[in-house]
Amino acid sequence: MPRYVYRFDEGGKDQKDLLGGKGANLAEMTRLGLPVPPGFTISTDACREFMRTGRVPPSVRVEVTTALRDVEDALGRRLGDPDDPLLVSVRSGAKFSMPGMMDTVLNVGLTDATLPGLAAAAGDERFAWDSYRRLIQMFGTTVLGVDAGRFTAALEAAEAAAGAGTDVDLDTAALRDLVATFRDIVRDATGRDFPRDPREQLDLAIAAVFGSWDTERARLYRRRERIGHDLGTAVNVVAMVFGNLGDDSGTGVAFTRDPATGRPGAYGDYLPDAQGEDVVAGVRNTLTLDDLRERDPASHRALETAMRRLETHYRDLCDIEFTIERGRLWLLQTRVGKRTAAAAFRIAVALVDEGLITTDEALARVSGDQLSALLFGQFDPAAARALLTRGVGASPGAAVGEIALDDDRAVARADAGADVILVRRETTPDDLAGMIAATGILTARGGKTSHAAVVARGMGTCAVVGAEQVEIDTAAGQVRVGDRVLHPGDVISLDGATGEVFDGAVAVVDSPVARYVADGLDAGLDAAGDDAAIAELVRAVHRLLTHADSRRRLRVRANADTADDAARARARGAQGVGLCRTEHQFLGERRRHLERVVLATDDAERTAALDALLPLQRADFAALLEATDGQPTTIRLLDPPLHEFLPDLTDLSVRVALAAERGRPDPHDERLLAAVRRMHETNPMLGLRGVRLGLTVPGLFALQVRAVAEAALALRRAGRDPRPEIMVPLVGSARELHLVRAEVERVLAEVCGPERLDVPVGCMIELPRAALTAARVAGEADFFSFGTNDLTQTTWGFSRDDVEGAFFATYLDNGVLTVSPFETIDADGVGALVRAGVDGGRSVKPGLSCGVCGEHGGDPESIRFFHDVGLDYVSCSPFRVPVARLEAGRAAVLAPGGDADATA
Ligand code: ADP
Ligand code: MG
Ligand code: MG
């Protein structure tokens, strides 16, 4: 017979799967000898059984009896004993903390029959009635499903009738009346009396917790947070301790360090004469831990000792829930606490200095996402601000701008130079223009995976979504938030990290951490000014980033098209350029040179057009290679279809038609139109581009290679150390690369003559076929670079521009996708092709250099994958370089067998 129930002294913190987080940590604290009230946990196995059969397994009832007797014996009190009753709490607790599940029920076991005994034992009748009204209220709403508002309304009415400010001012008689009212509410709402049998209360509460695992609310939350539906929750039954026994009692929450800033020293809130969630529910104003020290030094000391013990044991910031019952401290919950990005860095480094963790472990405890959050501009902490409302922080950043309610206005105002916040109920693909124009996006509906959130994160635009208090009346042209009415043009400020929305403009400051990564430690410290906490944060980031550099195997390069970008990336620690997209050098004025190449009718004309481009390209490469002196610089030959450089088909058709109508046809335009028509492709992404273009348009690739070679040669003659690499895009077969390679080598030999220039020639792996035939392709390649954007498109058959706005939000909501495969590499599919490519290539060339140059190169989770696959480097946007350095270091220490493996 399986076992379902475990006493607190039987479990431990590593049993979260079985006991849930709360249960596992209660057991751990019990084993540490900390003051935890006795209790037991009904395991997640029982919940899974409940889901399968629709009822609590019968043996649970028996095991609960046994475990309950242990609690009763330990305390010398019995459930239902009219003289001195035991009361318990029934608490849900899944592996991951989960709002949306059933709330805790306190004071289970209190009935008309046990109430006098409780009052007598405590010597406090008022307390007994207060506990009773709380039980009916909590049990009524969470177990019996009575509308919570009915209880609160009755409570408020009682407070008003007694002329009382808050619940503590209600006297015994008032509370007794309130209990009667509450009981009436239960009878009225459920058609039955509030249960009079303590054990029935307990069993009903246990079943209700299991049942709450599968509510719509809980399922929704799990989908969003990517938590499995099959984990199940545990139930904890804990002997009650009472913080509502008067002034020498109370309840509180505390953190062993400040979770907002990471400052050392405990931090917490305390509420005298209170129970359960009163502290967080804000029923009255709370006191600080310093106040507690004044009121009750002994309890405060006990609390500090317990917190120190916990921090030493967990070797991390812990948060706790505690209750003081008549001067005696009890711990009711602990866990490794959540913290801000800044706190994460400061705490990790502080714990190293305190000798509690190694630097490798510290590195494992911070993340690239946290580092990138620290790089965004932030609201000046000293600036005044008026909170308007709060939503979900969906895309970090600090945005200040004027309200626009529709795309037209957003675009028009942005064009006029204004910063715009697009305010919508929700966004759809039709809002794209407005979203692109906006500095920030605010929606009233939706969560972290809503259309607005997904698109905003993709664009790096600050966004707050699901701000439910925001009512938008587009017809009337106004936004209402409570009493405040705003109009288009009014300025608001968004904090995309916290989800806060402020009325008016809040001053934004550069992040000192951003200054540090761009310009070095001194600059960062300088930006911190005399804010010691910020200076400490900058130092902490520096230490962990430097440590990451010393540990990582992956090198970090940047995707940089210009010398400026390359220099920016280099300052941030890039070790070369992994992708220079040469097409960006053909925009603007230079388009017309390419136009001439396209329109050429014979070789001579085409050669002339290409020759005109040569000096321009040479200058581009010279500047780039100068910026990357001594570092590998991968230059990709022209990739996109040529018609991208020609005018738009519709525009041009209209122009030609109009000219013809006016009787003044333009022969150039007509030739151009014919070419555009000829080259028009239904699906350009899969058309004439990349290597296909190079093999079709004679001389095009040769021009680029010549420009690279001439630039490099000139630099070398000037005593520099240029290290260009030529990369061929969209290769699908070894033969394609063979042909291009022959041409590249011919041009190199021609340009260099006897002066040898060592230019590696490699290819992008961005088609499944290339990955699958990598062993053959590698025969022609000096290196591979995985283009995971196109590889994702071609593996999934997604056209990114078309699918992201159209149906990704739906796919994320219904769980087909848990994250956009363009954001984090799809390890199972696209990742398998990367693995096949690396393995195939190295099977014939063991040392073959392999890197990645898609946007995934800057994504934390993807970087860990690339480390595991054995790539040599990742290449990402210049701004992501520090994030990639950090994550590459983390990948090394977190890898199986890495030094921080055990703590991961
Ligand atoms: P949540 O998961 O929402 O924090 P908890 O199960 O931790 O819910 O309980 C809610 C509140 O009730 C917390 O403040 C907790 O400390 C308090 N509480 C739970 N069990 C007991 C108990 N046996 N005695 C006193 N207070 C309790
Ligand atoms: Mg709660
Ligand atoms: Mg809790």
Side-chain angles (χ1 to χ4, degrees), residues 535-552:
E536 203 185 303
L537 170 63
V538 170
R539 278 199 203 90
V541 172
H542 174 66
R543 266 174 71 181
L544 292 182
L545 201 51
T546 322
H547 186 69
D549 287 338
S550 74
R551 301 297 266 129
R552 64 191 162 89

Side-chain angles (χ1 to χ4, degrees), residues 262-471:
R263 186 162 14 93
Y267 167 96
D269 294 320
Y270 179 71
L271 198 59
D273 200 6
Q275 190 177 52
E277 305 227 290
D278 289 358
V279 186
V280 280
V283 291
R284 281 174 270 142
N285 284 337
T286 54
L287 305 180
T288 64
L289 295 186
D290 285 340
D291 298 330
L292 174 62
R293 184 196 327 221
E294 297 264 298
R295 300 170 66 103
D296 184 353
S299 296
H300 183 265
R301 208 170 318 116
L303 181 63
E304 290 219 298
T305 310
M307 285 200 277
R308 189 181 140 100
R309 182 96 185 79
L310 283 173
E311 219 184 59
T312 310
H313 184 69
Y314 283 87
R315 303 186 309 133
D316 205 346
L317 158 81
C318 295
D319 67 32
I320 61 170
E321 292 175 359
F322 66 95
T323 282
I324 294 171
E325 178 180 311
R326 293 199 165 141
R328 176 145 187 223
L329 173 76
W330 293 97
L331 299 185
L332 291 161
Q333 186 175 324
T334 193
R335 66 190 156 197
V336 168
K338 296 210 162 58
R339 65 207 73 185
T340 63
F345 276 88
R346 277 185 71 190
I347 291 172
V349 165
L351 292 175
V352 174
D353 291 341
E354 289 166 32
L356 280 174
I357 60 174
T358 65
T359 315
D360 274 0
E361 287 170 322
L363 181 56
R365 288 188 186 180
V366 295
S367 71
D369 284 338
Q370 286 168 334
L371 177 57
S372 63
L374 293 175
L375 297 176
F376 285 104
Q378 290 155 7
F379 289 127
D380 183 348
R385 62 192 74 187
L387 186 68
L388 193 59
T389 184
R390 203 185 287 271
V392 180
S395 178
V400 180
E402 53 171 75
I403 293 175
L405 298 181
D406 56 63
D407 293 344
D408 290 346
R409 184 180 170 101
V411 172
R413 292 299 299 146
D415 284 348
D419 287 332
V420 174
I421 308 277
L422 181 67
V423 182
R424 306 281 293 162
R425 193 157 300 136
E426 62 240 318
T427 62
T428 69
D430 291 339
D431 294 318
L432 217 52
M435 297 176 81
I436 291 167
T439 307
I441 296 162
L442 171 65
T443 68
R445 302 263 177 82
K448 281 198 173 189
T449 55
S450 61
H451 175 266
V454 173
V455 175
R457 275 199 300 275
M459 300 190 305
T461 301
C462 167
V464 173
V465 300
E468 288 169 2
Q469 289 171 356
V470 174
E471 292 170 43

Side-chain angles (χ1 to χ4, degrees), residues 22 89 91 104 106 238-241 276-277 321 323 332-333:
K22 201 178 283 170
S89 62
R91 320 167 63 184
T104 291
L106 304 177
V238 190
M240 281 303 299
V241 291
E277 305 227 290
E321 292 175 359
T323 282
L332 291 161
Q333 186 175 324

Side-chain angles (χ1 to χ4, degrees), residues 522-583:
D522 288 343
L525 292 175
D526 193 47
D530 41 54
D531 189 330
I534 302 287
E536 203 185 303
L537 170 63
V538 170
R539 278 199 203 90
V541 172
H542 174 66
R543 266 174 71 181
L544 292 182
L545 201 51
T546 322
H547 186 69
D549 287 338
S550 74
R551 301 297 266 129
R552 64 191 162 89
R553 182 183 53 76
L554 281 173
R555 272 166 287 132
V556 176
R557 298 197 200 173
N559 300 342
D561 306 331
T562 63
D564 278 353
D565 275 355
R568 224 191 309 279
R570 190 171 195 157
R572 285 168 173 72
Q575 296 160 291
V577 165
L579 173 66
C580 165
R581 284 164 293 212
T582 51
E583 50 273 17

